[in-house]
Amino acid sequence: MSGPMPALRIGVLGAARITPHALIKPARDNPEVVVSAVAARDIGRARAFAAKHGIDGVHGDYAALIADPQIDAIYNPLPNHLHGKWTRAALDAGKHVLCEKPFTANADEAREMAAVSAAGDRVVMEAFHYRYHPMTLRIEEIIASGELGRLRHIDAALSFPVPRFSDIRYQYALAGGALMDAGCYTVHMARTFGGATPEVVAAQPTLRSENIDRAMTAQLRFPAGHTATIRCSLWSSKLLQVSVRVVGEDGELRAFNPLMPQYFHRLRVRSARGRRVERFSHRASYAYQLDAFADAVLRGAPVRTTPQDAIENMSVIDAIYTAAGLPLRHPG
């Protein structure tokens, strides 16, 4: 009789602020996952991070962590310009990868990573955690049911304040910008709920500095004729906005906080069936994401946020930057 499947052992690149929320806390409640090691270029920082979060393994550089035979998978929350480089290194070492969004610095690099991924048998998932939450799945279900009728327009918005302009998200050399950090979600939501990859009709940036957008608005058009508007910002008059609206010929739905429905979420639907409000579990979107990653690695379950999906998302982001008159981001 076979015993229980061994836990998936994950190593973390860097000591990023997102890691406790995105990985460490969900892993504590997931018996199939263990966060086994962390690496940082400053080994003192790695040791402090490991001690704070109960992680046994510590490495003084990323390559050493990736080479660790006791690690099955890598979580990559490094700055945007390093996502592709270290995801590729992890794949070359035979590790599975959960990579933070945006998957790469631009679409060409995403294509390179997708080719590397396709050449092997490792799981590669882009960390669009909202994509695995029941609210997202329910919105897709409502759209597919035909309750809203033929789609007409999608509006996706994500704004949150980042007032410290020395933050890495404002650094062009680190592949920063509002569209990269917040807008990648709005583009992804527009694509997910729009059912295809749209063309970019126009884009309007608000600049923080040369080549760095602190806010971005873009108009999109889908092959079937429906349209979308995406709005995002790191610093603007809209200090906090997290929403999506899907309008069809026969009704519409509005979701408040579709990004992290564990906090103050609400889904309102209006159609010929009447008006209603739907609520969902307060379980973290990150927990659902980690479930899906473990399921893919341990049992071969399909992944929703694949490298191919990342190519489509980065292609729209690149096209928005081009339409806005800004240069594409570049890998480090």
Side-chain angles (χ1 to χ4, degrees):
M1 181 176 179
S2 61
M5 184 173 290
L8 174 62
R9 302 166 298 181
I10 300 180
V12 180
L13 298 178
R17 288 171 294 184
I18 188 62
T19 303
H21 302 286
L23 179 64
I24 293 172
K25 291 179 181 178
R28 289 173 182 157
D29 296 322
N30 190 322
E32 295 189 321
V33 175
V34 174
V35 181
S36 298
V38 61
R41 289 172 294 181
D42 178 348
I43 196 166
R45 188 179 181 200
R47 286 174 177 148
F49 188 90
K52 181 177 180 178
H53 298 291
I55 300 172
D56 291 335
V58 175
H59 293 282
D61 63 76
Y62 305 147
L65 173 68
I66 288 172
D68 188 340
Q70 300 302 311
I71 297 297
D72 305 307
I74 297 297
Y75 173 57
N76 182 355
L78 295 172
N80 297 341
H81 72 305
L82 297 177
H83 285 177
K85 174 181 178 178
W86 289 104
T87 290
R88 179 167 195 154
L91 290 174
D92 288 344
K95 312 298 187 185
H96 305 279
V97 181
L98 174 60
C99 181
E100 270 302 332
K101 56 76 200 170
F103 188 59
T104 52
N106 56 47
D108 283 345
E109 190 183 25
R111 293 184 187 97
E112 294 174 10
M113 292 304 101
V116 173
S117 174
D121 62 353
R122 303 292 88 178
V123 171
V124 182
M125 176 189 286
E126 186 176 13
F128 278 117
H129 52 98
Y130 89 95
R131 189 68 181 82
Y132 297 91
H133 194 279
M135 176 186 268
T136 299
L137 307 184
R138 177 58 179 151
I139 293 173
E140 289 183 287
E141 183 179 65
I142 292 170
I143 294 170
S145 75
E147 180 180 357
L148 305 181
R150 183 178 177 180
L151 291 183
R152 294 175 56 194
H153 188 73
I154 297 162
D155 187 282
L158 176 56
S159 299
F160 54 86
V162 182
R164 190 178 68 177
F165 296 130
S166 61
D167 190 283
I168 63 171
R169 285 170 280 198
Y170 291 112
Q171 304 300 313
Y172 180 74
L174 305 186
L179 181 61
M180 292 291 284
D181 196 71
C184 65
Y185 280 112
T186 60
V187 168
H188 202 272
M189 287 181 186
R191 290 180 49 249
T192 296
F193 302 135
T197 294
E199 65 174 320
V200 176
V201 177
Q204 301 82 36
T206 302
L207 297 184
R208 161 56 194 164
S209 58
E210 185 180 11
N211 299 332
I212 283 291
D213 49 311
R214 61 178 174 85
M216 181 76 75
T217 300
Q219 288 76 44
L220 315 175
R221 182 168 53 232
F222 291 88
H226 53 289
T227 59
T229 300
I230 66 102
R231 292 170 288 126
C232 62
S233 76
L234 301 177
W235 190 250
S236 70
S237 59
K238 292 286 187 181
L239 288 181
L240 184 63
Q241 185 177 28
V242 191
S243 65
V244 68
R245 180 170 66 108
V246 180
V247 180
E249 291 181 345
D250 301 325
E252 71 174 55
L253 65 79
R254 294 173 179 259
F256 175 71
N257 201 8
L259 179 64
M260 301 179 72
Q262 57 266 35
Y263 302 116
F264 312 111
H265 70 273
R266 179 171 290 127
L267 174 61
R268 296 182 181 273
V269 184
R270 176 187 58 79
S271 70
R273 302 178 192 177
R275 298 173 182 265
R276 67 181 185 274
V277 174
E278 298 188 15
R279 293 282 192 173
F280 300 87
S281 166
H282 288 285
R283 187 170 186 252
S285 50
Y286 295 115
Y288 288 105
Q289 175 178 261
L290 188 59
D291 287 352
F293 185 63
D295 200 25
V297 172
L298 298 176
R299 286 172 290 277
V303 169
R304 293 176 180 271
T305 50
T306 63
Q308 185 60 44
D309 180 70
I311 292 173
E312 300 297 317
N313 217 60
M314 293 310 304
S315 294
V316 177
I317 289 172
D318 284 1
I320 291 173
Y321 273 128
T322 298
L326 296 175
L328 305 187
R329 314 294 99 161
H330 297 289

